[in-house]
Amino acid sequence: MQTDALGLIVTTRAPAAVAAYDTALMAYLEYRLAAQAHVKAALGADPQFLMGLCFRGYMLMQLGTVEIADKVAGVVAAAKALAGDATAREAGHVAALEHWAAGRVGDACRLWEEILIEAPGDLLALRLHHFMSFWQGRRAALRDLPAAAAGRLDPAMPGYGFVLGMLAFGLEECGDYAEAERYGRHAVELNREDLWAVHAVAHVLEMQCRHEEGTQWLDQPFGTWDDRNPFKDHLWWHAALFSLELGDFDRVLDIYDREVRVDETGFYLDVQNAASMLMRLELLGVDIGGRWEALADIAEQRKDDHVLPFTDAHFMLAFTGAGRIASARTYLDSLKRFAAAGGADAAGVTASLTVPLAEGLLAYGEGACGKAVDRLLPMRHEMAPLGGSHAQQDVFQQILIDAAIRDGRTELARSLLAERAVLRPRSRWAHDRLAALA
């Protein structure tokens, strides 16, 4: 057995495997493209390195598509065959990977939490728990587990800043903006390459309508983060969002075309970024040209690829935005079949949230704004389990308001806009619409 850079025992006799694993973990926490190559190197040094196998399985799962199911099944089988000689922590990782692969995300999160109780320095378990709690809408969990780790770990340990960055984001999603900004900025001071901490501060600035500061915070030349995985595109989405709020639509479209638009891989986060930004632009009356078409083409290829409910909602936006109503209806039927099949945690969320949300979005796309309001209004306070942040989910609230205006429900629209103007006092979108209704 060996000990990794975090002081955790790992089952291998190959120091080179541990060294590559340590490098892979830090690269993963910084969203670097090289992380996958380092995991491969770890397994090259020891093909039976259990934590290396788990890491490979975890990275495959984070691709967010059913297309990797067979590969993950192979990794799970190989890891289970080795788990008999593993430590309790390693065995917990094997079991968590198996649960996640089967769609039992809640069970996986419980196992990662158990690991962290005994080993608070397991940054892989912490980041994975944080990642999946985000996609489940478990906002208190985003805050509480990093807080527990921060309170138990030595600030001098490698990667401690990543813990603070996760804590910052959890605090932001729970509405504690002052503490979120304090921890987030400190995390960035410790490591400017911690994009999650940069992201956490950007969220604070967005929620507080500090758009000029947000633009400065994310002011980077195009291509700055080209050595990072697609999460970098989400930071560019935030940069575009600040410009959108400031009314600089040419800048928004430039960022979209250079950094946000979806490539041929159709990675789920890119789909979310692109669909959300195009819809927000259209809600402001901006001519986006034919940009919906490329996004809808990708959605056509993924009609039965249901992994993250939040992504499914954005595929519906892609279909309706491109005017492909027949495809949107087919997609809705696919969501209903997935929900009825059950099994995966996501199926339950799809039944209770994604299907009615998709019905509302489809109605809006068809111009049936009254039906859209009837679907969206009852669920507007219940969408946390859909996943995504407050900032990301806001596009659905904007659609609801626009549908109410178009349907002539003036008092409802005034109420929703008044609420928004109080909570986001510098929101041009809210104040302009209130003025128009007046």
Side-chain angles (χ1 to χ4, degrees):
M1 289 189 176
Q2 304 281 327
T3 301
D4 68 14
L6 300 174
L8 302 171
I9 295 173
V10 288
T11 305
T12 179
R13 295 180 178 178
V18 181
Y21 174 85
D22 289 335
T23 304
L25 179 58
M26 292 300 135
Y28 166 69
L29 292 168
E30 292 181 351
Y31 297 93
R32 295 190 182 276
L33 291 169
Q36 186 174 358
H38 294 306
V39 172
K40 185 177 180 179
L43 289 171
D46 180 2
Q48 295 186 317
F49 179 28
L50 189 56
M51 285 307 300
L53 283 168
C54 289
F55 208 157
R56 171 167 166 70
Y58 288 148
M59 294 190 75
L60 286 168
M61 287 300 301
Q62 288 182 82
L63 294 175
T65 173
V66 297
E67 294 176 357
I68 49 78
D70 290 343
K71 289 183 179 179
V72 175
V75 173
V76 170
K80 288 179 69 177
L82 298 169
D85 296 325
T87 66
R89 182 183 70 88
E90 291 171 321
H93 274 289
V94 174
L97 175 59
E98 183 177 17
H99 280 304
W100 189 8
R104 299 185 295 269
V105 179
D107 291 333
C109 284
R110 281 188 286 275
L111 284 169
W112 288 321
E113 185 165 1
E114 289 177 9
I115 289 170
L116 289 163
I117 290 170
E118 299 298 327
D122 190 331
L123 296 186
L124 181 59
L126 183 61
R127 175 51 65 86
L128 290 166
H129 187 281
H130 198 70
F131 175 81
M132 288 314 302
S133 292
F134 175 75
W135 292 119
Q136 290 183 303
R138 299 171 63 230
R139 288 163 178 157
L142 290 171
R143 174 197 60 198
D144 293 351
L145 267 72
R152 296 175 66 192
L153 296 172
D154 184 346
M157 71 165 276
Y160 182 77
F162 295 118
V163 178
L164 300 185
M166 286 183 265
L167 174 57
F169 184 76
L171 287 164
E172 180 277 323
E173 285 298 289
C174 290
D176 191 345
Y177 301 132
E179 284 297 278
E181 184 171 3
R182 182 171 73 86
Y183 278 111
R185 289 185 182 275
H186 183 39
V188 174
E189 288 170 3
L190 292 174
N191 178 10
R192 297 195 63 82
E193 303 303 320
D194 183 355
L195 295 194
W196 190 253
V198 172
H199 169 254
V201 175
H203 266 270
V204 172
L205 301 176
E206 161 62 23
M207 297 306 293
Q208 294 188 322
C209 297
R210 294 157 62 187
H211 305 127
E212 294 86 354
E213 289 180 68
T215 298
Q216 295 169 5
W217 179 249
L218 295 179
D219 184 22
Q220 299 288 342
F222 289 122
T224 295
W225 298 305
D226 279 356
D227 62 336
R228 310 304 176 96
N229 71 25
F231 180 68
K232 67 180 173 57
D233 303 329
H234 184 62
L235 283 177
W236 284 112
W237 178 84
H238 275 281
L241 197 59
F242 289 127
S243 293
L244 187 79
E245 294 283 356
L246 293 169
D248 189 352
F249 303 135
D250 289 340
R251 172 66 174 170
V252 175
L253 289 171
D254 193 27
I255 293 174
Y256 183 92
D257 290 336
R258 290 172 179 255
E259 302 287 356
V260 174
R261 67 180 178 84
V262 184
D263 64 21
E264 62 279 0
T265 65
F267 186 67
Y268 68 89
L269 187 56
D270 291 337
V271 169
Q272 297 167 10
N273 294 333
S276 173
M277 188 53 63
L278 292 181
M279 178 55 67
R280 289 165 192 257
L281 284 163
E282 288 203 331
L283 288 167
L284 287 166
V286 178
D287 182 3
I288 62 168
R291 290 178 176 84
W292 279 117
E293 294 302 321
L295 192 55
D297 287 344
I298 290 170
E300 296 279 7
Q301 301 166 21
R302 305 275 289 277
K303 284 183 179 177
D304 295 307
D305 194 5
H306 306 303
V307 176
L308 292 175
F310 194 66
T311 305
D312 289 334
H314 287 77
F315 277 135
M316 181 58 78
L317 285 179
F319 285 128
T320 59
R324 301 186 190 182
I325 301 303
S327 293
R329 290 173 180 158
T330 300
Y331 192 67
L332 179 58
D333 290 339
S334 177
L335 287 171
K336 290 178 178 178
R337 288 194 299 271
F338 175 69
D345 291 358
V349 176
T350 299
S352 63
L353 287 175
T354 318
V355 167
L357 174 58
E359 289 173 341
L361 297 177
L362 174 56
Y364 181 77
E366 293 176 311
C369 290
K371 182 179 179 181
V373 172
D374 291 342
R375 288 289 187 275
L376 299 177
L377 185 61
M379 61 187 304
R380 75 185 189 100
H381 296 305
E382 314 300 331
M383 287 202 290
L386 188 71
S389 66
H390 292 294
Q392 287 174 296
Q393 288 195 1
D394 188 53
V395 69
F396 305 125
Q397 308 297 336
Q398 293 184 28
I399 290 170
L400 169 60
I401 293 170
D402 192 64
I405 294 171
R406 290 174 182 272
D407 193 48
R409 301 192 194 185
T410 306
E411 291 310 310
L412 171 61
R414 281 200 183 102
S415 178
L416 294 172
L417 286 166
E419 169 192 302
R420 189 179 188 88
V422 169
L423 296 177
R424 294 171 176 250
R426 297 179 63 200
S427 170
R428 175 185 294 183
W429 196 93
H431 288 289
D432 285 353
R433 276 157 182 74
L434 271 174
L437 287 177

